[in-house]
Amino acid sequence: MVEAGQICLEEKIKFSEPFLSVLTFRVYSMAQTEKKGGLLRKSSASKKPLKEKVVLMYDEIFTTEDPSKCNPRFWEELFLMKVNLEYLEGKLEALDGEELMKIKDNINCLFQHCIQALGEEHPIRVVNALQTLCALIRGVHQKNKSTSGFDIINMLVGFDKAELCMKNLMESLDSLLCAEGSESLKSLCLKLLLCLVTVTDNISQNTILEYVMINSIFEAILQILSSPLSRREHGYDAVVLLALLVNYRKYESVNPYIVKLSIVDDEATLNGMGLVIAQALSEYNRQYKDKEEEHQTGFFSALTNMVGSMFIADADEKISVQTNEAILLALYEAVHLNRNFITVLAQSHPEMGLMTTPTSPIPTTPVTPLGTTPPSSDVISSAELPLDADVQTSNLLITFLKYSSIVMQDTKDEHRLHSGKLCLIILTCIAEDQYANAFLHDDNMNFRVNLHRMPMRHRKKAADKNLPCRPLVCAVLDLMVEFIVTHMMKEFPMDLYVRCIQIVHKLLCYQKKCRVRLHYTWRELWSALINLLKFLMSNETVLLAKHNIFTLALMVVNLFNMFITYGDTFLPTPSSYDELYYEIIRMHQNFDNLYSMVLRLSTNAGQWKEPASKVTHALVNIRAIINHFNPKIESYAAVNHISQLSEDQVLEVVRSNYDTLTLKLQDGLDQYERYSEQHKEAAFFKELVRSISINVRKNLAFNTLSQELLLKEFSTIS
């Protein structure tokens, strides 16, 4: 009897195509452990193992002969066969450059027939063509890492046909993504596009992307994001794909995806993008919270109870969830490029972590690390699920602030350092935006934002239930204060500190300009800033070997100068202004020590002369306050025979001696340099996008949809 996989061509041609698809399914469901090598099974010890039909056909492609010469239906049959990704990619990898060039015509032919098959009516053929293209693109790129992109184009398509072939490919993908057909096909289209974008570590060196720029799929991506069903199924891949495409040669040429993203004003589309990003960040926050709770009630908690608290810090450092730079990059590009997206940040929706999973079925996907595949839970919107009065409402900005408070805790890991930096860059863009500041400071938009705080021995964990409802700017300031307090360490993250202080300064500039009197516990900020100055002085020698600490010191001193000079326009009450003076006087020793340090370095002819001199001049009003009030406080204590004054008594002295205080007007305190990516951050983003590209490629699963599921979906080929 003839084996199923060995049915002669003449017999096979007689079969109807529906029967052929079922036969194909049966033949390839027989594959066992030998599948990777294209083997079906061993019939006996004396016989050679049988090969899958598709593997035999691949072998024909890898000869110098035209496989359709003896079999005119070769290509038609090939796309009815279940793709063997591992075998095809492995076959390509096994060839050296010279061998690959010998079969270039067959590779070109395979690529072109894949594109033709995308226009077929039979979904099985389209699926197989998509998966074959993925294997082909990855396999050829793997083999040609050291060569230029033009060789890749020639190897895959051929120079003479490249423009037309790639145009046809992009048009087919665009049609499949925009059609109302199979969601499985759309998923594979996006996987193919992600494969195409990420085959090189540096996406700007991937010259195939020139064709993706010329034949834009931007509108197809927007359509996915604007439709609730498509967004649930494919929103994550679509957002990551868009973020990567925006970063193709963004500093070297006009990128049409940047231009188009910057002018999108469709509310449904922008909200859809925001919901996808919010869901991914919410998923991260939920995973972290689950691990934190597990940690607190599990082994480490028991261990701590037994041996005391000496291991608390070390144990808490182990709470770690993989960061999601890809989705963070998407958020950054949306905030940075599109002013209309700012409104999405404040768009209210139910707290995602509290929502129940919808009853409608959701396609299952393999579990892979967060940041590489879409979150499994549903993306929601106010249109899809009504707001519940009993459910805490949230928005994208709150979700992002919670995410930031987690990833910014530990900056020792490179990925978390990059994530922390990107979070601060996003907040910088937000702090500069007039509309964003309007809703950040809006008294009618109060939220309870539960930020994660780093475990520290000298402070207790704040009770979540006691958090007040406040304008969102308070949560931003809390996040900045938290970072300032918790990162004074040997490996000092100077760059992140500079960004923190800049964000606070930009928020204060808005408050001064618009005379917003924010009810915030400013004393916490002042205390954190003074402790930061104290840290810089205590570690002067170590820090100066790596950083210009006077840049940071000057920024901190000028924040105090902002409060001193303009505090009466934005501090909530006159007593707040008094408290500022009290805090400066109480901590005067730190300012005195700082003045001594910068004076010493500014009078020497060393490399720090100029930056230290700037700090010396900036301290003039702070020193005037200290020198004016300290003698009066001492006199008050002497007259009243009090050895140590209370806070109220010091404040009384301050209030009664304002009139005789003389301060100098300092220019430019409410001015700042606006954020610029191209001139200052280009190197960071190039490295970040490289890391994301590698991560996406590593975790890209083309077998997300198993062949069995596909055959079930497309049970008949009409």
Side-chain angles (χ1 to χ4, degrees):
M1 184 178 176
V2 181
E3 289 288 339
Q6 297 174 306
I7 293 174
C8 64
L9 178 62
E10 291 77 17
E11 289 296 318
K12 191 178 228 181
I13 291 171
K14 292 177 188 175
F15 293 142
S16 66
E17 284 179 336
F19 179 77
L20 184 59
S21 71
V22 175
L23 177 63
T24 304
F25 169 69
R26 285 177 179 170
V27 168
Y28 299 114
S29 62
M30 290 161 61
Q32 301 297 325
T33 56
E34 296 91 346
K35 181 187 172 189
K36 190 170 182 179
L39 306 179
L40 281 172
R41 66 168 187 263
K42 293 182 180 179
S43 54
S44 70
S46 60
K47 291 183 181 179
K48 287 184 179 180
L50 300 175
K51 280 190 175 183
E52 295 178 70
K53 173 72 177 184
V54 76
V55 166
L56 294 172
M57 297 183 85
Y58 290 156
D59 288 344
E60 289 185 56
I61 295 169
F62 281 85
T63 65
T64 53
E65 296 291 323
D66 178 359
S68 62
K69 201 171 181 181
C70 299
N71 178 8
R73 289 174 59 91
F74 179 88
W75 299 110
E76 189 180 336
E77 290 177 18
L78 179 66
F79 297 111
L80 285 170
M81 302 286 145
K82 179 183 175 184
V83 178
N84 189 325
L85 286 166
E86 295 89 349
Y87 185 82
L88 186 52
E89 283 188 50
K91 194 83 173 170
L92 286 164
E93 278 187 51
L95 300 177
D96 60 31
E98 199 175 313
E99 290 171 325
L100 200 61
M101 281 305 295
K102 285 179 182 175
I103 61 162
K104 174 185 159 305
D105 290 344
N106 282 357
I107 297 291
N108 289 176
C109 209
L110 175 58
F111 198 88
Q112 288 159 30
H113 278 92
C114 282
I115 294 169
Q116 287 174 23
L118 295 182
E120 293 271 359
E121 291 181 9
H122 312 321
I124 284 289
R125 284 181 174 157
V126 178
V127 167
N128 288 333
L130 286 168
Q131 290 186 325
T132 303
L133 280 168
C134 290
L136 202 51
I137 291 164
R138 288 205 306 192
V140 171
H141 264 280
Q142 279 290 103
K143 197 69 223 157
N144 287 267
K145 277 186 175 178
S146 58
T147 61
S148 70
F150 287 103
D151 291 332
I152 300 294
I153 292 169
N154 190 32
M155 183 58 64
L156 285 172
V157 204
F159 287 133
D160 54 334
K161 301 185 182 75
E163 198 168 324
L164 180 61
C165 276
M166 291 305 295
K167 180 176 182 289
N168 291 338
L169 172 61
M170 295 308 296
E171 284 178 355
S172 294
L173 293 175
D174 187 76
S175 298
L176 288 167
L177 288 172
C178 294
E180 292 186 4
S182 162
E183 296 303 323
S184 304
L185 287 181
K186 290 184 185 180
S187 178
L188 266 181
C189 286
L190 287 167
K191 293 282 191 293
L192 171 59
L193 286 162
L194 283 169
C195 168
L196 199 64
V197 174
T198 61
V199 280
T200 55
D201 294 354
N202 181 351
I203 64 170
S204 294
Q205 291 177 352
N206 182 1
T207 48
I208 292 184
L209 290 188
E210 284 297 329
Y211 299 103
V212 186
M213 296 294 124
I214 296 165
N215 305 285
S216 174
I217 47 151
F218 184 80
E219 285 71 22
I221 292 173
L222 294 198
Q223 186 173 314
I224 287 169
L225 295 175
S226 61
S227 160
L229 174 62
S230 290
R231 182 169 65 244
R232 278 196 293 271
E233 303 280 355
H234 319 295
Y236 185 91
D237 280 350
V239 163
V240 171
L241 176 63
L242 180 58
L244 289 168
L245 289 172
V246 161
N247 279 275
Y248 174 71
R249 302 187 67 185
K250 69 194 304 190
Y251 309 118
E252 301 150 41
S253 59
V254 177
N255 181 320
Y257 290 85
I258 291 178
V259 176
K260 290 180 178 183
L261 179 57
S262 65
I263 57 174
V264 175
D265 58 1
D266 179 67
E267 191 177 343
T269 303
L270 292 173
N271 284 342
M273 186 184 296
L275 283 163
V276 172
I277 294 168
Q279 178 61 26
L281 297 180
S282 291
E283 179 71 4
Y284 177 94
N285 296 346
R286 184 193 61 74
Q287 286 188 23
Y288 182 87
K289 190 174 181 182
D290 288 349
K291 281 203 171 188
E292 191 178 42
E293 287 173 359
E294 179 186 320
H295 169 87
Q296 288 168 355
T297 57
F299 169 75
F300 286 111
S301 177
L303 182 66
T304 303
N305 290 336
M306 285 190 288
V307 299
S309 61
M310 63 183 291
F311 296 118
I312 287 178
D314 293 334
D316 279 308
E317 283 177 10
K318 295 181 190 298
I319 301 174
S320 178
V321 179
Q322 184 178 339
T323 52
N324 194 335
E325 285 91 359
I327 211 73
L328 211 54
L329 178 66
L331 175 59
Y332 164 75
E333 297 296 357
V335 168
H336 180 233
L337 295 174
N338 191 302
R339 291 211 64 205
N340 299 315
F341 189 81
I342 294 293
T343 61
V344 175
L345 294 173
Q347 190 80 30
S348 292
H349 56 69
E351 186 74 70
M352 290 182 178
L354 302 176
M355 295 307 298
T356 54
T357 307
T359 52
S360 56
I362 299 167
T364 56
T365 57
V367 178
T368 55
L370 184 65
T372 58
T373 56
S376 56
S377 48
D378 193 17
V379 175
I380 59 170
S381 74
S382 52
E384 294 160 39
L385 289 171
L387 287 173
D388 185 340
D390 298 325
V391 175
Q392 163 75 31
T393 57
S394 184
N395 56 40
L396 175 54
L397 183 59
I398 292 173
T399 305
F400 168 65
L401 289 172
K402 289 180 179 179
Y403 177 91
S404 301
S405 70
I406 296 169
V407 299
M408 284 165 56
Q409 285 184 22
D410 178 16
T411 56
K412 292 171 187 173
D413 172 73
E414 186 184 11
H415 287 292
R416 294 172 85 84
L417 180 65
H418 282 171
S419 282
K421 181 172 179 176
L422 189 49
C423 287
L424 290 172
I425 290 175
I426 293 168
L427 284 170
T428 299
C429 295
I430 291 169
E432 285 183 7
D433 187 271
Q434 190 76 5
Y435 180 80
N437 268 301
F439 73 72
L440 280 174
H441 291 85
D442 190 344
D443 256 337
N444 297 313
M445 289 179 63
N446 293 329
F447 291 90
R448 186 177 286 111
V449 184
N450 177 26
L451 299 176
H452 290 264
R453 303 179 81 208
M454 190 182 289
M456 297 178 78
R457 292 187 185 92
H458 62 273
R459 69 178 185 187
K460 292 181 179 179
K461 186 172 179 178
D464 299 348
K465 293 177 182 177
N466 297 334
L467 290 170
C469 276
R470 302 173 298 170
L472 285 171
V473 69
C474 295
V476 179
L477 289 168
D478 282 349
L479 183 62
M480 298 302 99
V481 170
E482 176 67 11
F483 183 87
I484 292 168
V485 168
T486 55
H487 288 78
M488 298 178 207
M489 54 193 180
K490 190 178 177 182
E491 292 299 320
F492 188 68
M494 176 76 172
D495 178 52
L496 302 191
Y497 267 97
V498 167
R499 292 174 195 277
C500 268
I501 304 302
Q502 285 174 337
I503 291 165
V504 174
H505 180 232
K506 287 169 183 180
L507 294 173
L508 291 182
C509 288
Y510 174 83
Q511 292 168 23
K512 179 256 174 185
K513 177 186 172 185
C514 299
R515 294 184 173 265
V516 176
R517 297 190 180 277
L518 183 68
H519 289 273
Y520 182 72
T521 49
W522 291 110
R523 192 175 273 192
E524 287 185 12
L525 173 64
W526 300 331
S527 176
L529 293 173
I530 292 168
N531 283 325
L532 175 56
L533 290 175
K534 186 177 178 182
F535 175 81
L536 295 179
M537 289 181 287
S538 303
N539 298 274
E540 174 194 346
T541 308
V542 176
L543 293 175
L544 277 178
K546 297 179 182 178
H547 311 289
N548 176 4
I549 60 172
F550 302 108
T551 304
L552 184 58
L554 179 63
M555 293 170 69
V556 172
V557 169
N558 278 338
L559 275 188
F560 279 102
N561 286 330
M562 272 283 288
F563 282 103
I564 293 165
T565 310
Y566 302 118
D568 59 329
T569 65
F570 62 82
L571 286 172
T573 60
S575 63
S576 302
Y577 199 70
D578 301 337
E579 287 170 5
L580 168 67
Y581 277 62
Y582 172 80
E583 205 63 27
I584 291 172
I585 295 161
R586 185 176 74 86
M587 304 296 285
H588 72 89
Q589 193 63 55
N590 291 295
F591 292 108
D592 292 342
N593 293 343
L594 177 63
Y595 182 74
S596 299
M597 184 180 90
V598 293
L599 189 64
R600 167 171 48 84
L601 289 164
S602 63
T603 52
N604 295 336
Q607 69 177 111
W608 306 117
K609 180 180 173 72
E610 189 181 341
S613 297
K614 289 180 181 177
V615 181
T616 308
H617 296 310
L619 282 165
V620 61
N621 282 342
I622 292 174
R623 294 192 74 244
I625 290 168
I626 293 166
N627 293 335
H628 175 74
F629 286 105
N630 264 356
K632 290 180 168 44
I633 290 168
E634 288 168 8
S635 173
Y636 180 90
V639 168
N640 292 281
H641 306 291
I642 304 170
S643 59
Q644 193 170 352
L645 299 184
S646 66
E647 182 177 333
D648 288 338
Q649 289 167 328
V650 172
L651 287 170
E652 185 184 330
V653 175
V654 168
R655 291 189 192 102
S656 57
N657 287 282
Y658 275 132
D659 295 345
T660 52
L661 174 64
T662 305
L663 298 175
K664 287 187 179 180
L665 188 62
Q666 294 177 308
D667 295 327
L669 292 173
D670 58 344
Q671 304 297 315
Y672 58 82
E673 184 183 354
R674 291 189 69 83
Y675 169 77
S676 170
E677 178 190 322
Q678 185 162 351
H679 301 297
K680 294 190 174 181
E681 311 294 348
F684 167 70
F685 278 101
K686 280 180 182 175
E687 191 54 42
L688 180 73
V689 173
R690 175 189 289 270
S691 171
I692 291 169
S693 177
I694 293 168
N695 196 40
V696 170
R697 181 175 70 238
K698 187 174 70 177
N699 293 286
L700 203 53
F702 300 119
N703 296 325
T704 306
L705 306 159
S706 72
Q707 195 76 3
E708 287 75 13
L709 285 173
L710 287 167
L711 284 166
K712 200 171 184 179
E713 185 175 345
F714 311 129
S715 55
T716 59
I717 302 178
S718 55

